[in-house]
Amino acid sequence: MREPFDLTTLIEPLLNWFKDHARVLPWRNEPTPYRVWVSEIMLQQTRVEAVKPYFDRFLEELPDVAALSDCPEEKLLKLWEGLGYYNRVRNMQIAAQTVMENYHGELPADYEALTKLKGIGHYTAGAIASIAFGIPVPAVDGNVLRVISRVTEDDADIMKASVRTAMEKDLLEIMPENRAGAFNQALMELGATVCLPNGAPLCEACPWKEVCRAQKSGRWRELPVKSKAKARRIEDRTVLVIKAEDKVLLHKRANKGLLAGLYEFPNVEGHLKEEEVITYLKKMGLSPIRLKKLEDSRHIFSHIEWHMTGYAVQIDETEQEYQNMLFVDVKETEEQYPIPAAFSRYTGYMNIRLGNDRYKEE
């Protein structure tokens, strides 16, 4: 039987390494509960470098819980444009309203209370509690699951909730009382910069290289064990960039479901041929002057994958009203109407810049 791994031996080497190798990040400079919360939600499924400008703009516009709770929805979604997973920021606003009502506008210094706020799970609650309040609780994300699985050579399936719960329990028992925030951040940092998710880990730079069982056995490729997610459903769609002079037609999606409440180019299921597009446009009451086939595109959501083809459509009238649709000036689109990144391949045809691209120098 394999000898149990003593996790306490990992603490000091990791903290000493982190002291010298921690990246300078805007949310680390001033780790208030609100700043930690915003950063952790943004960092889910998004690279650190991509998040930095979003974080700065978000904090400039919405500097505290009160500002977030009162923000108009379209402004909120526009600030989030390009990050995806828009329900996360909606949940943040609901949580902010709860904090205003129940905690006088300050996130509670209580792990269990944090987990009861909308959109805050065990990991995010652990990050806020430990980093902002110094509470000795773990924050187990994908990086932590990977580094602990490898160093201990644990081949349990990390997709199982029971495995995550067991790791949280093990880490809770060794959490350094006065350095919980540093310990959790160091674990995340190790996974993000050394024990990498894609490609070979940088074992020579690892503070655990002498004790890592996966490194000694050469099993790092196999760990962590992660069962395959259910295959995504494929949807074919035809996207129509309908323009008249310097205006473009946008459709507002329903308030529930995928991309709820966001604006999009009109689109339909299936890959339509040119004559089918013309028929569809006439049913909308539009008379196209010119029709141009655009390039194909693909966008991956968590459970659905869109395979898109597109057409640029030129019309000469913008007066008619259409259900849940409006013609919008391109400049207004950039400033006011949140468009999901799924359509980024087609926004260029109207010189519409999304997310970070709006702030890049010409």
Side-chain angles (χ1 to χ4, degrees):
M1 185 174 179
R2 189 165 59 175
E3 184 180 347
F5 194 101
D6 182 4
L7 291 174
T8 60
T9 62
L10 303 176
I11 299 171
E12 290 305 323
L14 179 67
L15 289 173
N16 289 335
W17 170 84
F18 185 62
K19 199 182 333 178
D20 296 327
H21 295 86
R23 289 171 294 178
V24 177
L25 301 173
W27 43 90
R28 283 182 179 162
N29 297 338
E30 188 186 345
T32 65
Y34 180 70
R35 289 169 67 87
V36 174
W37 178 32
V38 172
S39 69
E40 290 297 341
I41 299 298
M42 285 187 172
L43 285 165
Q44 294 173 20
Q45 310 283 351
T46 310
R47 293 178 300 104
V48 165
E49 290 305 314
V51 163
K52 285 180 181 179
Y54 279 102
F55 178 82
D56 290 339
R57 286 195 300 272
F58 197 93
L59 266 291
E60 184 178 345
E61 292 287 332
L62 307 175
D64 51 33
V65 172
L68 172 57
S69 71
D70 290 338
C71 184
E73 183 178 67
E74 286 195 0
K75 177 181 177 180
L76 187 67
L77 296 177
K78 195 67 182 175
L79 285 169
W80 205 262
E81 183 184 70
L83 281 171
Y85 302 94
Y86 289 86
N87 275 342
R88 289 176 181 165
V89 74
R90 284 192 171 98
N91 289 340
M92 283 181 69
Q93 184 167 61
I94 294 169
Q97 291 163 353
T98 301
V99 170
M100 293 300 296
E101 292 171 8
N102 298 342
Y103 299 103
H104 309 290
E106 299 291 338
L107 285 160
D110 182 300
Y111 173 79
E112 293 299 333
L114 287 167
T115 63
K116 291 179 171 59
L117 295 172
K118 185 77 170 177
I120 296 184
H122 289 275
Y123 164 72
T124 305
I128 298 168
S130 62
I131 299 169
F133 296 116
I135 300 170
V137 290
V140 176
D141 69 348
N143 284 317
V144 177
L145 287 163
R146 182 170 59 261
V147 299
I148 297 298
S149 294
R150 284 179 176 169
V151 75
T152 61
E153 202 176 7
D154 185 346
D155 55 8
D157 183 356
I158 65 168
M159 295 298 285
K160 292 181 178 178
S162 60
V163 173
R164 182 184 292 261
T165 300
M167 191 176 293
E168 288 173 344
K169 181 175 178 292
D170 290 342
L171 290 174
L172 180 61
E173 291 177 359
I174 68 157
M175 193 66 51
E177 283 287 331
N178 300 318
R179 295 180 292 174
F183 182 67
N184 282 335
Q185 289 181 89
L187 285 171
M188 300 173 209
E189 194 83 341
L190 190 68
T193 63
V194 175
C195 198
L196 306 172
N198 301 308
L202 309 177
C203 294
E204 285 306 308
C206 181
W208 296 343
K209 61 185 176 184
E210 301 301 329
V211 297
C212 179
R213 290 180 175 175
Q215 196 271 337
K216 289 178 180 178
S217 67
R219 292 189 62 209
W220 61 265
R221 289 181 184 83
E222 304 168 31
L223 299 171
V225 172
K226 188 176 182 180
S227 57
K228 288 187 177 180
K230 184 180 177 182
R232 298 184 189 92
R233 185 174 80 252
I234 304 296
E235 286 188 4
D236 291 336
R237 305 200 73 81
T238 299
V239 178
L240 304 176
V241 184
I242 301 171
K243 51 187 178 178
E245 298 178 350
D246 59 350
K247 294 190 176 184
V248 64
L249 188 63
L250 295 181
H251 169 253
K252 186 172 184 179
R253 291 182 67 91
N255 290 327
K256 291 185 178 180
L258 184 68
L259 303 176
L262 298 174
Y263 289 84
E264 63 182 356
F265 296 129
N267 59 90
V268 293
E269 289 188 21
H271 287 166
L272 302 188
K273 296 178 181 177
E274 195 167 308
E275 57 270 23
E276 293 174 315
V277 171
I278 293 171
T279 300
Y280 177 78
L281 291 167
K282 288 180 176 178
K283 286 182 180 178
M284 288 178 65
L286 297 172
S287 299
I289 299 171
R290 279 193 303 276
L291 200 67
K292 177 186 175 183
K293 179 76 170 61
L294 303 179
E295 59 197 298
D296 294 341
S297 181
R298 186 178 70 158
H299 190 82
I300 296 173
F301 300 97
S302 54
H303 303 297
I304 302 171
E305 187 171 323
W306 279 2
H307 291 187
M308 295 172 280
T309 191
Y311 291 87
V313 181
Q314 180 73 43
I315 65 170
D316 61 357
E317 293 183 8
T318 63
E319 300 300 322
Q320 187 173 338
E321 293 186 3
Y322 309 96
Q323 187 175 13
N324 295 324
M325 296 191 192
L326 66 164
F327 273 100
V328 180
D329 182 85
V330 169
K331 193 63 179 174
E332 289 181 8
T333 302
E334 288 192 355
E335 298 299 327
Q336 299 178 29
Y337 299 93
I339 299 175
F343 298 95
S344 60
R345 183 67 64 87
Y346 300 110
T347 53
Y349 291 99
M350 288 297 292
N351 295 318
I352 297 170
R353 298 164 300 173
L354 304 181
N356 279 339
D357 289 339
R358 290 191 293 132
Y359 300 91
K360 292 178 181 176
E361 292 184 2
E362 300 292 336

